[in-house]
Amino acid sequence: MARAGVVLDSGDDAAVLRPAPGVNLVVTADAFVEGAHFLPAWCTARAAGARLAQANLSDLAAMAAEPRWATLSIGARRDADVEDVVAFQAGLADALAAAGAWLVGGNLTAVTGEPWYSLTLLGECERGREWTRRGARPGDLVAVSGHPGRAGAGSRLLGAMGSAAASALELAPLVEAWRAPVARIALARALRRTGAVTAAIDVSDGFVGDLAHICESSGVGVEVDEADWPADPLLERAATALRLTPDVLTFGPSDDYELLLAVEPGGRGDSERAAAEVGVELAFVGRFTAAPGVLTLRTIEGRVRPLGGAGYDHFTGS
Ligand SMILES: [Mg+2]
């Protein structure tokens, strides 16, 4: 398959790339360390590789950038199973290719400590059309894709009961949300065309943590409306199994790789149609306010309580 913009790739000392005219390059990097970011007992090497690709792809989705080129550095132990290293790279390369990006170089080095993988991904974005965390304005709507909290719940289930037990449960979709996330590249493409998105971030820390990042960068506050939150019976069941309140799973630490967006009020209909076209759930769950850094939740009973501050610590703790 033709690889757009690749003049020369890994057969030389360095790759030569040619961005399209009129674009900015958008660059992100992420690393997985075995034992810290993935456990071989929790997923195959191939799945771990795909997951590292999705983590990087998700950052480009959050910038409205088109994924293009990547380099992978691997720190492998001398006694590493070569098949695992090859499977990791194959899983990663396939996930990139599905999003239109290609490995154009890399490096393999021997380590004595934990094995690690480091991916750098470059994307293109039409000049001045990048989404950032800075553009949310009071009155803009809060939109989020999918079901935040599922990946965090999945990793807690894996930690609490091990891979075989957690995967056999009716809660297996939560484990899969952690094991095989799919970055919202297609949704970002569809929403980019509406011109309605004013700020964006991907959910890699957890809904409240990442919402706080947008509020901080944009100098706004936010009120989330519990009544508009997409119901997730699986998360509620996981909370019972893990003896946690559902809020901790829904709003707390979780690397879901969903998109969290500020949308101008007049763009809601277009955004909903764009999401429907690519078959992704997009929920409108609140509104940004003029109170900088104040994050609140309006409960179904109509009470308003903090979602940031002490609440934030509560959700990020443990
Ligand atoms: Mg990010």
Side-chain angles (χ1 to χ4, degrees), residues 100-201:
W102 311 99
L103 271 181
V104 295
N107 177 54
L108 177 63
T109 189
V111 297
T112 52
E114 298 298 337
W116 52 261
Y117 297 83
S118 176
L119 184 66
T120 300
L121 178 63
L122 292 89
E124 293 179 319
C125 190
E126 195 183 327
R127 267 176 217 164
R129 302 298 299 275
E130 304 85 6
W131 293 341
T132 70
R133 303 175 181 185
R134 292 195 298 266
R137 294 161 304 199
D140 284 349
L141 307 177
V142 181
V144 67
S145 65
H147 292 272
R150 285 191 163 201
S155 72
R156 285 177 193 255
L157 289 166
L158 284 164
M161 50 193 71
S163 184
S167 307
L169 287 179
E170 58 180 352
L171 300 174
L174 304 181
V175 173
E176 280 310 292
W178 178 84
R179 203 177 260 154
V182 179
R184 298 303 192 183
I185 295 287
L187 177 63
R189 275 183 197 135
L191 289 173
R192 193 167 59 202
R193 289 193 283 272
T194 69
V197 174
T198 57
I201 192 169

Side-chain angles (χ1 to χ4, degrees), residues 1-310:
M1 195 186 291
R3 299 189 298 169
V6 181
V7 179
L8 205 58
D9 70 1
S10 49
D12 218 295
D13 292 294
V16 179
L17 307 171
R18 182 182 298 148
V23 304
N24 283 338
L25 284 178
V26 183
V27 186
T28 185
D30 218 335
F32 278 1
V33 178
E34 192 173 304
H37 298 91
F38 70 100
L39 296 175
W42 285 15
C43 64
T44 63
R46 186 181 166 80
R51 211 166 167 273
L52 177 57
Q54 299 297 347
N56 281 258
L57 289 167
S58 181
D59 277 330
L60 290 196
M63 303 295 292
E66 222 22 75
R68 290 285 186 244
W69 312 292
T71 60
L72 175 66
S73 291
I74 301 173
R77 295 167 65 96
R78 290 193 187 282
D79 61 357
D81 187 335
V82 175
E83 279 182 21
D84 279 349
V85 176
V86 169
F88 188 104
Q89 181 162 334
L92 180 140
D94 287 352
L96 290 177
W102 311 99
L103 271 181
V104 295
N107 177 54
L108 177 63
T109 189
V111 297
T112 52
E114 298 298 337
W116 52 261
Y117 297 83
S118 176
L119 184 66
T120 300
L121 178 63
L122 292 89
E124 293 179 319
C125 190
E126 195 183 327
R127 267 176 217 164
R129 302 298 299 275
E130 304 85 6
W131 293 341
T132 70
R133 303 175 181 185
R134 292 195 298 266
R137 294 161 304 199
D140 284 349
L141 307 177
V142 181
V144 67
S145 65
H147 292 272
R150 285 191 163 201
S155 72
R156 285 177 193 255
L157 289 166
L158 284 164
M161 50 193 71
S163 184
S167 307
L169 287 179
E170 58 180 352
L171 300 174
L174 304 181
V175 173
E176 280 310 292
W178 178 84
R179 203 177 260 154
V182 179
R184 298 303 192 183
I185 295 287
L187 177 63
R189 275 183 197 135
L191 289 173
R192 193 167 59 202
R193 289 193 283 272
T194 69
V197 174
T198 57
I201 192 169
D202 67 314
V203 180
S204 54
D205 290 343
F207 178 80
V208 168
D210 287 307
L211 188 58
H213 290 316
I214 287 191
C215 289
E216 189 181 356
S217 296
S218 296
V220 296
V222 74
E223 182 167 289
V224 173
D225 210 327
E226 191 177 30
D228 293 330
W229 192 269
D232 195 343
L234 275 184
L235 261 195
E236 285 165 30
R237 259 179 273 164
T240 305
L242 292 163
R243 297 168 199 269
L244 295 167
T245 62
D247 276 7
V248 171
L249 294 183
T250 303
F251 297 135
S254 188
D255 44 354
D256 298 292
Y257 305 122
E258 296 293 352
L259 283 180
L260 173 51
L261 307 151
V263 176
E264 53 188 26
R268 176 170 178 161
D270 284 350
S271 301
E272 286 173 335
R273 279 186 288 278
E277 273 168 26
V278 293
V280 176
E281 289 177 61
L282 185 69
F284 284 79
V285 297
R287 190 177 288 267
F288 289 95
T289 71
V294 180
L295 283 72
T296 57
L297 179 76
R298 180 177 293 275
T299 66
I300 288 171
E301 299 81 31
R303 282 182 299 117
V304 175
R305 64 170 174 81
L307 194 55

